[in-house]
């Protein structure tokens, strides 16, 4: 009999946990010849999430397991911890807020088992319930990252997916500290099929992702999977060098042709100095972002710290 492990990161999700378990359990129980285990990861919640997990574990000690972090390490760390703990032949990753429709699980299992896929992922085809500004930013993010990174990141792809043991091991072999799962799942390769669905709203609780947090996450994703921003300084530098040469030639010629012309244009000079200074700071900032990542990685800090595991 095959075993499916479901990994669920949870951050302040006391209300969603019982609803999630009920909804998923009644679906997976109907799949023939499949045993299911749950790995909830409490990512340093400040509400009664851990209590809810204890209650579930006491009810189903063989089936429901959990890991509880010593503080909030972020969803990516929680996913990594869950994948490390899971030992099923197949592993599914799901959000606890039921935004990832559990009805897909039987179909995913069937496809992965019979159709020679290594991964069945999901992607949202619309962004109903999300602000226009947020959707616009998301679309621009996918446009940019797919232009400047060799790793193809599918627009609207969710983390919700089912993977074979082989693919999970590949994902676990990437031990980077700054984890951008959307990129990692794609980087490891393997044959993936995406199921499409319409956006579903959260069953309870609130999303922790403000537009600003998403923006920073997108920037981190770009830095993790592309080195193109690093070459921006080269292009900007070359461009301003060429412009300055043209400027010098212009000034010399004007001096010869019209020797009496007075000095003017100090205001534009100030603007130019500010412009060049700004560009330099921008480039240093970009380089700094990459150096920061090297610095963090070189410390070899653990990706998460467990306080309790059952
Ligand atoms: N989550 C987490 N740690 C965090 C933030 C979120 O483990 O620091 C979990 C959260 O409990 C949920 C999943 O990650 O199960 C997705 O979070 P959310 O629903 O807030 O994101 P969205 O669906 O809006 O992308
Ligand atoms: Mg959600």
């Amino acid at each position: 009999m095959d075993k499916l492990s479901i990994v669920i990161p949870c951050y302040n999700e006391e209300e969603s946990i019982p609803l999630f378990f009920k909804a998923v359990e009644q679906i997976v129980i109907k799949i023939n010849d499949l045993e299911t285990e749950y790995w909830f990861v409490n990512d340093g919640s400040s509400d009664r999430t851990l209590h809810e997990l204890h209650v579930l574990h006491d009810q189903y000690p063989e089936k429901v397991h959990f890991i509880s972090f010593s503080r909030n390490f972020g969803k990516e760390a929680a996913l990594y911890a869950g994948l490390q703990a899971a030992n099923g032949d197949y592993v599914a990753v799901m959000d606890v807020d039921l935004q990832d429709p559990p009805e897909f699980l039987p179909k995913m299992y069937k496809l992965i088992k019979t159709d020679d896929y290594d991964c069945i992922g999901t992607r949202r085809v619309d962004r109903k319930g999300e602000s226009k500004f947020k959707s616009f930013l998301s679309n621009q993010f996918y446009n940019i990252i797919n232009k400047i990174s060799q790793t193809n990141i599918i627009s609207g792809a969710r983390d919700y997916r089912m993977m074979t043991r082989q693919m999970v091991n590949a994902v676990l072999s990437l031990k980077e500290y700054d984890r951008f799962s959307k990129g990692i799942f794609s980087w490891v390769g393997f044959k993936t099929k995406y199921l499409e669905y319409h956006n579903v709203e959260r069953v309870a609780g609130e999303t922790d992702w403000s537009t600003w947090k998403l923006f920073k996450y997108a920037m981190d994703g770009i830095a993790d999977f592309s080195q193109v921003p690093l070459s921006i300084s080269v292009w900007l530098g070359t461009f301003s060098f060429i412009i300055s040469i043209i400027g010098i030639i212009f000034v010399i010629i004007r001096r010869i042709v019209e020797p009496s012309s007075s000095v003017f244009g100090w205001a534009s000079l100030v603007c130019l100095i500010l412009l060049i200074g700004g560009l330099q700071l921008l480039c240093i900032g970009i380089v700094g972002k990459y150096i920061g990542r090297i610095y963090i990685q070189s410390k070899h800090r653990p990706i998460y710290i467990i306080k309790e595991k059952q």
Side-chain angles (χ1 to χ4, degrees):
M1 186 148 83
D2 286 334
K3 183 168 173 185
L4 170 70
S5 307
I6 305 182
V7 170
I8 316 113
C10 311
Y11 178 57
N12 292 345
E13 302 277 9
E14 56 179 8
E15 290 162 69
S16 311
I17 289 170
L19 301 172
F20 170 87
F21 182 73
K22 201 166 152 239
V24 174
E25 188 59 8
Q26 72 189 26
I27 286 170
V28 289
I29 213 134
K30 292 194 200 121
I31 308 178
N32 290 332
D33 287 330
L34 186 73
E35 182 196 341
T36 312
E37 68 164 8
Y38 294 79
W39 276 101
F40 289 92
V41 185
N42 171 31
D43 184 13
S45 305
S46 52
D47 65 354
R48 288 166 63 79
T49 294
L50 183 59
H51 170 79
E52 291 296 336
L53 295 179
H54 270 289
V55 171
L56 264 189
H57 174 73
D58 292 344
Q59 253 179 317
Y60 306 91
E62 298 294 317
K63 198 181 242 266
V64 176
H65 305 276
F66 67 84
I67 295 170
S68 186
F69 286 174
S70 60
R71 65 166 170 87
N72 178 253
F73 279 88
K75 181 183 175 186
E76 299 289 344
L79 272 183
Y80 188 66
L83 290 179
Q84 278 190 319
N87 57 23
D89 309 289
Y90 301 97
V91 180
V93 173
M94 292 179 87
D95 286 359
V96 71
D97 54 16
L98 289 177
Q99 278 189 305
D100 298 335
E103 306 82 70
F104 279 175
L105 287 168
K107 195 171 170 194
M108 286 174 158
Y109 178 64
K110 191 165 161 265
L111 281 170
I112 209 166
K113 181 100 183 136
T114 54
D115 269 16
D116 184 36
Y117 284 105
D118 302 291
C119 173
I120 310 293
T122 51
R123 60 180 287 262
R124 288 190 300 189
V125 286
D126 66 9
R127 298 179 160 269
K128 200 174 57 162
E130 213 179 70
S131 76
K132 286 230 160 62
F133 181 59
K134 220 166 167 179
S135 308
F136 170 78
L137 282 185
S138 303
N139 289 336
Q140 292 313 312
F141 164 70
Y142 286 111
N143 279 345
I144 293 173
I145 198 162
N146 283 322
K147 283 211 177 81
I148 65 176
S149 167
Q150 319 243 308
T151 310
N152 183 27
I153 297 185
I154 310 276
S155 171
R158 302 275 303 168
D159 288 338
Y160 180 27
R161 59 189 60 227
M162 189 182 288
M163 296 172 276
T164 57
R165 166 66 23 207
Q166 193 188 19
M167 176 157 169
V168 172
N169 289 345
V171 169
L172 289 175
S173 72
L174 270 71
K175 303 211 184 299
E176 57 213 67
Y177 186 84
D178 289 300
R179 303 187 71 78
F180 182 68
S181 286
K182 283 186 204 315
I184 291 177
F185 289 139
S186 164
W187 189 90
V188 294
F190 295 100
K191 202 172 157 199
T192 304
K193 180 185 172 74
Y194 284 92
L195 305 177
E196 299 185 344
Y197 71 101
H198 292 283
N199 194 25
V200 188
E201 307 241 345
R202 262 180 165 272
V203 60
E206 267 172 37
T207 177
D208 184 46
W209 294 88
S210 60
T211 308
W212 174 239
K213 214 170 155 190
L214 271 178
F215 179 74
K216 282 203 299 195
Y217 179 67
M219 290 297 125
D220 288 342
I222 290 177
D224 279 334
F225 281 91
S226 169
Q227 289 175 20
V228 170
L230 277 178
S231 14
I232 286 179
S233 50
V234 179
W235 294 113
L236 284 178
T238 314
F239 180 71
S240 56
F241 177 72
I242 293 171
I243 297 284
S244 70
I245 294 288
I246 295 172
I248 290 169
I249 294 172
F250 174 77
V251 168
I252 293 174
I253 292 178
R254 214 176 103 202
R255 188 78 200 155
I256 296 168
V257 175
E258 219 180 317
S260 62
S261 68
S262 58
V263 178
F264 68 96
W266 64 269
S268 50
L269 205 63
V270 170
C271 293
L272 274 179
I273 292 171
L274 285 178
L275 175 78
I276 304 289
L279 288 179
Q280 280 173 339
L281 285 180
L282 174 79
C283 295
I284 294 174
I286 293 173
V287 176
K289 190 151 179 74
Y290 285 83
I291 294 180
R293 297 178 114 66
I294 303 172
Y295 171 62
I296 293 288
Q297 189 69 41
S298 69
K299 289 205 248 194
H300 295 298
R301 285 191 181 161
I303 295 171
Y304 57 85
I305 291 170
I306 295 181
K307 188 172 172 207
E308 192 181 341
K309 184 173 179 182
Q310 266 176 358

